[in-house]
Every structure is written in structure tokens, then in C-alpha cells.
Amino acid sequence: MKRILITGVTGLIGRSLAHALRRRGDEVWGLSRSADGAESQIRRWDPTAEVLDPDSVSGFDVVVHLAGENIGDGRWTRAKKERIKHSRIHGTRILSEALARAPAKPRLLVAGSAVGYYGNRGSELLSESSAPGTGFLAEVVIGWEDAVAAARDAEIPVATLRTGPVLSTKGGALAKMLPPFRIGLGGVVGSGRQYMSWIALGDVVGACAHVIDGEISGVVNVVAPNPVTNEEFTRALGRTIRRPTIIPLPAVAARAVLGEMADELLLVSQRVSSARLEQSGFQFELPTVQEALAHLLATQE
Ligand SMILES: NC(=O)c1ccc[n+]([C@@H]2O[C@H](COP(=O)([O-])OP(=O)(O)OC[C@H]3O[C@@H](n4cnc5c(N)ncnc54)[C@H](OP(=O)(O)O)[C@@H]3O)[C@@H](O)[C@H]2O)c1
């Protein structure tokens, strides 16, 4: 039984992770801006404050940091982009500084990160040692990963989970695609050749638990072993819900509707390798997109 603190515990990943860890007997606490006292084992924090009290994060075996402004909800106005960046870089910095000064430090900090680190890379197979990319999200992720410096300097091992788009019917990219696809308005975006390094929600949760149990540190790509092109994903989703996928969304139209988000989230190509995660002994429950979509839609997970 471990004592685990999770930030972003009310989010898509955090909620499922907390549930899975509690179910197997861990003592899970959340560090949250928004959850109220109705939820048990919640501590409050203000990720925009200058500092975080070290006592509030002291005495945990593992801290999992998932908090950050959602990147897929709402238009990327200047203010939204600033929140995306500041919530991750500043929030991670004050958490790391508090952990470094905590009377009882954790044995592992599991720091959320994203494949956005790699930028737009065509069909290049990207490993944890690949160079970072360029663009807004790449800049955010580089700063986010660097913001754990205080924890690392205090010799707290850090696992950086470079996660790909998480597939779930409860939130994220798939939940947004389902309504138009269900009424037959789905189709390929842009050329359809851009790679998506997806992962199913249950496997993200499993990978986090695997990293916690193995006390694995360093950067780990948290993506399924079979990235797909947008065209392959589109066809697989159409087959799963038995709908045609003949209405393409050209890149110009995507840019007109979504602005910069189109290039950074829909047209971006990232073909990311899961080799390190697999070599560490992790076994995916849903390794192919067809299996993942069938499972997620059947279970509404
Ligand atoms: N879902 C994906 O496809 C995906 C892919 C790659 C990486 N990630 C990363 O993994 C982490 C968790 O993802 P998720 O999908 O579970 O995220 P999510 O559903 O958007 O939840 C993130 C949580 O962070 C907290 N939060 C929201 N806005 C914030 C802000 N402005 N400042 C500080 N905290 C804020 C909230 O928790 P409280 O209100 O309880 O504090 C929220 O529940 C995120 O950092 C995300 O970037 C996600």
C-alpha cells in the first residue's frame, strides 16, 4: 500500500488513476483547485500562487502531477494560451520547490508531459532521446519538463510521462469526434497522412501504475505501440460505429475554424515509439486502434 498524491485528480486521467489506485489498496490524496470537501482525501492548492506550503505535499511515497489548463477545450485566445503555459510551467515549478523543501520527500515524482514536445515530425519514429520540436506546444512542454528542476536538484527521482492523445468516450479528442462521426459527418483531416500517437485511457492509467510500482525514472513515452495516420484512425472509427467517413476536412477549413489549434492538434504529425515502456515490462491491454475503439465504445470508458 502506497500513499500517493495526485494533482489534476478531477481530470480525465487523474480521476481514473485515483480510482484504479484506490481499488488496489493505495491511499490516494488529491491536490486540487476545485474539488470541494465533499470529496474525501482532498487538499487544496492554488497553482497560480507564488509558493506552495511544503507541509501540504509532505509524507507521500509518490506524487503524480497531472494538473494543467485543458488544451482542447475552447479557442486559443492569447489569454487561453497564457493559461496553458503558466498553469504547467509555474504550477510545476511551485510544486517541485515545495517537494524539495518537504520534511518527508516522495520516492518518485511522476510528472505529466505530452508528445507535443516533439512538434510536427512527419513519419520520423520518435524516441525519448529525439530532439524537441518547434511551435507553441513544443515550447510549453519543454518549459513544463524543465520546471521539475528543484525536485531533481533535491534528488527526488522524476518520471516524465510524454503522453499521446488519450482515447476515451468521456473526454479528449475521441469524445469531440464522436458527435459528427455519429451523424455521418466524419472524414479525413488535411492530407490524412499525419500520425497520431494515441493511447487508450485504461492503458494510460496502467502505464502510470507501472511507472509508480517500478519506480521508473527519466522520460517515458506513454503511447500505444501502434500509432496510426489520421486516415487510418478515421476509417477505424467509421468501421467501429458503422458510419461512412466521406466528408473530409481540408487543412484550410480546419485552420479557418480553429486557427492555430488546427496545426498544433489536428494537422500535426507525431509517430512516437513506445519501446521504452514495453522494454520496462509494460503490457498494453489495447495495443491497436481497432481494439481500443471497439472496447471504448462498448464500455463507454
Ligand atoms: N488527455 C489527453 O489526451 C492528454 C494527452 C497528453 C498529455 N496530457 C496531459 O496530462 C495531464 C492530465 O490530462 P487530462 O486529460 O486528465 O486533463 P484534464 O481533464 O484537462 O484535467 C486537468 C486537471 O488539471 C486541473 N486544472 C485545470 N485547469 C487548470 C489550470 N488553469 N491551472 C492548474 N490546474 C488546472 C484540474 O484539476 P483541479 O481543478 O482539481 O485542480 C483538471 O481536472 C494534463 O497536464 C495534460 O496536458 C493529456
Side-chain angles (χ1 to χ4, degrees):
M1 196 272 281
K2 293 188 179 71
R3 224 170 158 246
I4 299 173
L5 180 71
I6 304 177
T7 77
V9 71
T10 57
L12 180 69
I13 302 172
R15 195 181 288 277
S16 285
L17 179 64
H19 182 69
L21 295 174
R22 282 189 182 124
R23 212 172 37 202
R24 69 177 206 179
D26 290 324
E27 181 185 331
V28 179
W29 287 76
L31 189 64
S32 173
R33 309 162 312 161
S34 63
D36 59 30
E39 297 218 28
S40 61
Q41 296 182 318
I42 288 285
R43 294 180 181 184
R44 299 296 293 265
W45 76 318
D46 175 5
T48 62
E50 273 310 301
V51 286
L52 172 63
D53 176 8
D55 286 329
S56 67
V57 295
S58 185
F60 292 95
D61 298 303
V62 178
V63 173
V64 183
H65 176 43
L66 298 170
E69 174 83 12
N70 190 290
I71 64 166
D73 287 344
R75 267 189 90 82
W76 282 9
T77 59
R78 252 194 12 214
K80 171 84 178 174
K81 285 173 72 179
E82 185 50 33
R83 283 198 304 278
I84 290 172
K85 191 170 175 184
H86 191 260
S87 64
R88 287 186 173 71
I89 298 177
H90 180 78
T92 305
R93 184 177 301 132
I94 64 167
L95 175 67
S96 299
E97 287 168 357
L99 290 171
R101 293 184 4 251
K105 299 179 186 36
R107 293 204 303 275
L108 182 68
L109 168 61
V110 179
S113 178
V115 297
Y117 176 87
Y118 299 112
N120 187 14
R121 303 289 276 268
S123 58
E124 181 185 350
L125 189 62
L126 299 161
S127 76
E128 288 82 354
S129 54
S130 296
T134 54
F136 171 67
L137 286 180
E139 268 172 41
V140 169
V141 179
I142 293 165
W144 188 15
E145 291 191 359
D146 286 348
V148 298
R152 202 172 271 137
D153 290 348
E155 294 183 356
I156 299 168
V158 179
T160 301
L161 305 190
R162 254 178 224 159
T163 307
V166 176
L167 298 188
S168 167
T169 59
K170 295 183 202 149
L174 176 62
K176 286 205 167 55
M177 291 169 80
L178 278 171
F181 272 69
R182 279 195 165 119
I183 55 169
L185 292 179
V188 162
V189 181
S191 72
R193 288 195 297 272
Q194 67 276 31
Y195 274 91
M196 174 183 180
S197 292
W198 62 278
I199 181 163
L201 180 60
D203 277 333
V204 175
V205 168
C208 281
H210 171 80
V211 164
I212 290 171
D213 292 343
E215 296 191 14
I216 296 169
S217 60
V219 181
V220 183
N221 290 333
V222 178
V223 295
N226 298 292
V228 287
T229 63
N230 172 267
E231 178 162 17
E232 288 165 338
F233 184 84
T234 302
R235 305 294 174 231
L237 182 53
R239 271 196 303 276
T240 309
I241 60 171
R242 297 193 181 87
R243 290 287 184 280
T245 51
I246 51 171
I247 316 274
L249 179 63
V252 279
R255 288 190 185 108
V257 178
L258 294 170
E260 193 182 357
M261 281 173 90
D263 283 296
E264 294 262 353
L265 296 178
L266 296 182
L267 301 166
V268 69
S269 187
Q270 288 149 342
R271 185 176 168 220
V272 179
S273 165
S274 60
R276 180 165 189 229
L277 187 56
E278 289 177 272
Q279 279 155 14
S280 73
F282 182 68
Q283 291 189 347
F284 288 89
E285 282 187 5
L286 297 168
T288 69
V289 79
Q290 194 68 66
E291 284 171 279
L293 290 171
H295 171 86
L296 293 169
L297 286 151
T299 59
Q300 289 299 300
E301 191 175 299

